[in-house]
Amino acid sequence: MSMLSGKHGLIVGVANKRSISWAIAQAAAAAGARLALTYPSERLEENVRELAATLDNPLIAPCDVASDQQIADLAMTLDREFGGLDFLVHGASFAPADALHNPFVETSRESFRIALDVSTYSLVGLTRAMVPLMEKRGGGSVLTLTYLGSDRVFPNYNVMGVAKAALESTVRYLASDLGPKSIRVNAISAGAIKTLAASGIGGFSAILQVYRDRAPLRRSVDASEVADAAIFLLGPASRAVTGEVLMVDAGFHAIGL
Ligand code: NAD
Ligand code: 0WE
């Protein structure tokens, strides 16, 4: 029996083939799930449609996570097409580029607002909209993606570190609220991976080299390794796990010097 067979899942955060969310989508499909994928703008719609075409009977829908209306419309579409939902993967994050280039102390009120809205509040809004659909299935699993920049300073990660700290706390508060409905909420803290979200960052190759030199496993991680951990957290094998941040980073978080 495949770990997610007969389950319906929503995956938010696929931009291209290197997206961590796309690796999770492929692994979830291989584990037997039927999936809905979203795109945030017309610019990315074609990308998502092309990738989704390789899946079995996917649902494609728009969702800019900064829009309450688009989240509400998405919930309606999923209710109509799937009749409920078993899991949600939240892989959306964004901070205006200037906030990742200038010193953190220069972060504007507007960049702070956008980073926390898109990268953090969106987990609350999306999860709330999906609760009634998950209740129809007798429970569900919500998963988001975070980074160690939430509690250590990484040069230039800046306001994204603040957004991820708030995101990890959000995981715990949501887990507390939704546990009585058998809805679990967890995060994976992934090691650095060269994706679109990483491509705007100068010196990313040097960051990867630090993992190769110093992580206990002496290497960096790839998206398929994050996806394997995601299948655990989305499926019944993790039925007693909630409010957790699972480190999938070749052990990098464990070392001091
Ligand atoms: P990615 O660029 O492929 O994914 C980020 C996604 O966020 C994109 O699909 C983008 O369209 C989406 N997004 C941005 N604004 C949005 C909006 N308003 N509405 C809906 N979607 C929006 O990069 P990724 O590295 O796969 O990132 C996925 C998640 O993993 C992010 O939360 C990121 O912070 C996290 N993460 C990444 C790394 C890494 O090194 N790449 C490490 C740890 C955690
Ligand atoms: O969460 C992230 C990156 C998120 C991200 C990336 C961008 C680049 C383009 C959010 N917003 C934007 N906005 C843009 O305009 N990661 C975990 C990847 C990442 O980013 C870093 C890292 C790592 C790792 C930035 C500095 C240092 C390390």
Side-chain angles (χ1 to χ4, degrees):
M1 242 317 240
S2 276
M3 275 218 276
L4 300 177
S5 69
K7 300 216 186 267
H8 289 80
L10 167 62
I11 309 226
V12 176
V14 176
N16 60 34
K17 68 176 192 317
R18 290 195 300 182
S19 296
I20 298 171
S21 299
W22 174 240
I24 296 172
Q26 288 178 290
R34 181 162 179 220
L35 300 177
L37 267 55
T38 63
Y39 56 88
S41 62
E42 279 171 23
R43 189 173 59 80
L44 284 167
E45 177 175 357
E46 198 51 38
N47 266 3
V48 174
R49 286 196 183 278
E50 276 175 27
L51 289 170
T54 66
L55 302 174
D56 180 29
N57 199 15
L59 183 65
I60 321 289
C63 187
D64 174 348
V65 298
S67 161
D68 289 335
Q69 187 59 55
Q70 291 192 27
I71 290 174
D73 290 348
L74 175 64
M76 256 216 303
T77 302
L78 286 173
D79 202 12
R80 189 183 62 234
E81 299 293 326
F82 285 176
L85 194 72
D86 298 291
F87 63 85
L88 160 65
V89 175
H90 171 272
S93 76
F94 179 76
D98 61 288
L100 302 176
H101 292 119
N102 299 327
F104 176 70
V105 68
E106 305 294 342
T107 307
S108 67
R109 190 185 298 273
E110 183 65 356
S111 291
F112 191 101
R113 186 192 67 70
I114 291 169
L116 275 282
D117 184 29
V118 173
S119 313
T120 311
Y121 177 76
S122 60
L123 180 66
V124 182
L126 268 172
T127 300
R128 183 172 59 247
M130 298 307 150
V131 164
L133 283 75
M134 289 182 168
E135 282 187 286
K136 286 188 176 184
R137 305 277 196 200
S141 178
V142 176
L143 176 66
T144 188
L145 293 163
T146 186
Y147 185 59
L148 186 59
S150 61
D151 48 65
R152 315 265 181 85
V153 171
F154 287 79
N156 301 317
Y157 199 59
N158 295 357
V159 73
M160 277 307 305
V162 176
K164 293 304 193 187
L167 182 70
E168 290 168 24
S169 184
T170 294
V171 163
R172 294 183 283 272
Y173 278 91
L174 288 174
S176 174
D177 273 2
L178 302 178
K181 299 181 188 295
S182 295
I183 297 170
R184 300 183 292 106
V185 185
N186 295 290
I188 290 175
S189 184
I193 300 172
K194 198 159 172 78
T195 60
L196 182 64
S199 65
I201 286 118
F204 201 80
S205 309
I207 295 170
L208 290 177
Q209 192 58 47
V210 173
Y211 282 79
R212 287 186 208 110
D213 291 341
R214 310 200 6 225
L217 296 179
R218 297 291 188 274
R219 61 180 185 83
S220 58
V221 301
D222 68 36
S224 74
E225 295 174 315
V226 176
D228 285 345
I231 299 311
F232 164 68
L233 288 172
L234 295 176
S238 63
R239 62 197 172 276
V241 180
T242 194
E244 175 69 324
V245 178
L246 177 60
M247 310 304 297
V248 181
D249 68 344
F252 184 80
H253 70 282
I255 61 163
L257 261 186

